[in-house]
């Protein structure tokens, strides 16, 4: 449904988007994740034909963004970071106005306005002035204008930014419910957004794609060989946890051993390996050869947050901390 090929945007001094390529299949919901300034908005503005690329190209629903921008625009619903609403208009009026700009008229226009109001849960307030709505409702109106012409693709720039937790949940549910009918790309600099809403993630940093995968694969990929959970039990009785810990620490390639649970008869440790070292086999051997039972040995799944940090480095870390402290640029 979307194919991006070497897309690039240079400003005078900055390369905001640097030769990015990716594909999005029909009906997928994809998270475009990256710290502020990574190039997300610039990419979205190019895909929606609001900005001309410096290089590369993309197709949306089979139409080229450079050659056939009008066809592309017909097939895209776009929700920019700040919803393009007119505060002095009533919701119904505004949606009708947007529908007309998108080429709808007559009974079709009326039924699409009804549908969008219903779908985005603003039907009961459609006669209200937009300027008097809460931010959460305004965002719903923003989504309603994006779907009014029933586009194949929805491009949503930071759709939950600035909302309170309840509004965030409602907006996420709404976006997920739209995924059946539309292919969706949403951008975010907040990690839970992706793991809770999307099937796939494209991570962008400094204009370059640093990872693209399904959310679950990415978690697995980044964790392999890095960290394992091991449960050890004493044969027929008590167990000396510190003896197990010492044994695990002596294994070549092991960088850290953390006690996770410490019982009379069994202990659980998290064993971290030095980067690039696979230690699972040695851990299993060490436990069994010491006369203990190996109850469980499995990779520890990294949170998407850890993966994001591994891929994008300390800069993103500072960003996440700022967000966690409530100081992020929402
Ligand atoms: P994101 O959406 O991921 O926060 P943006 O796409 O807004 O990132 O910005 C990417 C980079 O391009 C940033 O370094 C930003 O400062 C720069 N940039 C964006 N728009 C312009 C512009 N109109 N002129 C110059 N630089 C810009």
């Amino acid at each position: 449904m979307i194919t991006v090929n070497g897309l690039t945007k240079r400003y005078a001094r900055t390369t905001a988007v640097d030769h990015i390529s990716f594909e999005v299949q029909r009906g997928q919901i994809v998270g475009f994740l990256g710290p502020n300034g990574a190039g997300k908005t610039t990419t979205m503005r190019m895909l929606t034909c609001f900005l001309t690329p410096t290089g590369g190209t993309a197709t949306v629903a089979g139409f080229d963004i450079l050659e056939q921008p009008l066809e592309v625009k017909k097939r895209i619903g776009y929700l920019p970071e700040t919803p393009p609403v007119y505060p002095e208009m009533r919701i119904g009026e505004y949606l009708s106005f947007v529908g007309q700009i998108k080429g709808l008229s007559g009974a079709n226009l009326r039924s699409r306005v009804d549908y969008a109001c219903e779908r985005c849960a603003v039907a009961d307030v459609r006669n209200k002035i937009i300027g008097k709505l809460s931010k959460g409702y305004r965002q719903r109106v923003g989504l309603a204008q994006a779907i009014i012409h029933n586009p194949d693709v929805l491009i949503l720039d930071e759709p939950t930014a600035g909302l309170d937790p309840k509004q965030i949940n409602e907006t996420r549910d709404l976006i997920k419910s739209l995924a059946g009918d539309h292919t969706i790309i949403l951008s975010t600099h907040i990690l839970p957004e992706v793991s809770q809403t999307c099937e796939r993630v494209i991570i962008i940093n400094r204009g370059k794609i640093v990872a693209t995968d399904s959310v679950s694969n990415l978690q697995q990929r980044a964790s392999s060989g890095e960290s394992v959970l091991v449960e050890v039990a004493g044969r027929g009785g008590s167990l000396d946890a510190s003896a197990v810990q010492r044994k695990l620490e002596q294994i070549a390639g092991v960088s850290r051993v953390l006690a996770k649970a410490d019982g009379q008869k069994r202990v659980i440790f998290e064993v971290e390996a030095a980067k690039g070292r696979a230690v699972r086999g040695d851990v299993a051997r060490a436990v069994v050869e010491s006369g203990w039972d190996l109850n469980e040995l499995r990779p520890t799944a990294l949170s998407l947050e850890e993966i994001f940090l591994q891929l994008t480095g300390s800069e993103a870390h500072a960003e996440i901390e700022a967000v966690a402290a409530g100081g992020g640029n929402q």
Side-chain angles (χ1 to χ4, degrees), residues 11-12 14-17 34-43 81 157:
Y11 292 110
T14 330
T15 302
V17 174
N36 283 333
K40 303 182 294 294
T41 299
T42 305
T43 304
E81 240 177 317
D157 199 352

Side-chain angles (χ1 to χ4, degrees), residues 224-227 251-256 271-279:
S224 61
E226 302 257 359
S227 171
I251 297 168
V254 167
S255 56
R256 197 154 71 126
V271 178
E272 288 178 9
K275 213 170 171 68
R277 297 291 294 257
V279 295

Side-chain angles (χ1 to χ4, degrees), residues 88-222:
E88 67 285 1
M89 281 180 120
R90 293 176 198 280
I91 295 177
E93 256 170 34
Y94 165 70
L95 291 176
S96 183
F97 167 71
V98 175
Q100 286 172 47
I101 293 176
K102 304 244 170 124
L104 304 175
S105 60
N108 187 27
L109 172 65
R110 282 193 296 280
S111 82
R112 285 304 302 175
V113 171
D114 290 347
Y115 174 83
C117 284
E118 207 55 57
R119 198 68 204 265
C120 297
V122 291
D124 51 341
V125 289
R126 63 185 285 170
N127 290 323
K128 279 206 170 173
I129 304 269
I130 293 175
K132 295 194 173 155
L133 297 174
S134 71
K135 227 174 160 186
Y137 265 96
R138 224 175 291 178
Q139 198 68 348
R140 291 189 208 173
V141 176
L143 281 164
Q145 68 76 33
I147 65 167
I148 193 88
H149 55 309
N150 197 18
D152 291 326
V153 173
L154 289 180
I155 296 200
L156 315 175
D157 199 352
E158 302 263 359
T160 61
L163 302 183
D164 69 32
K166 185 166 170 280
Q167 295 167 338
I168 287 177
N169 278 337
E170 288 167 356
T171 306
R172 277 184 191 150
D173 288 345
L174 173 57
I175 291 171
K176 275 195 268 188
S177 80
L178 293 172
D181 298 336
H182 311 271
T183 305
I184 302 180
I185 300 187
L186 67 86
S187 76
T188 178
H189 64 287
I190 302 168
L191 294 147
E193 192 76 24
V194 168
S195 43
Q196 287 171 22
T197 319
C198 305
E199 301 156 59
R200 273 185 67 221
V201 57
I202 296 168
I203 302 182
I204 182 169
N205 191 38
R206 297 180 183 206
K208 289 197 161 81
I209 290 180
V210 290
T212 165
D213 212 336
S214 70
V215 170
S216 56
N217 272 353
L218 201 61
Q219 282 167 334
Q220 262 177 10
R221 196 182 76 184

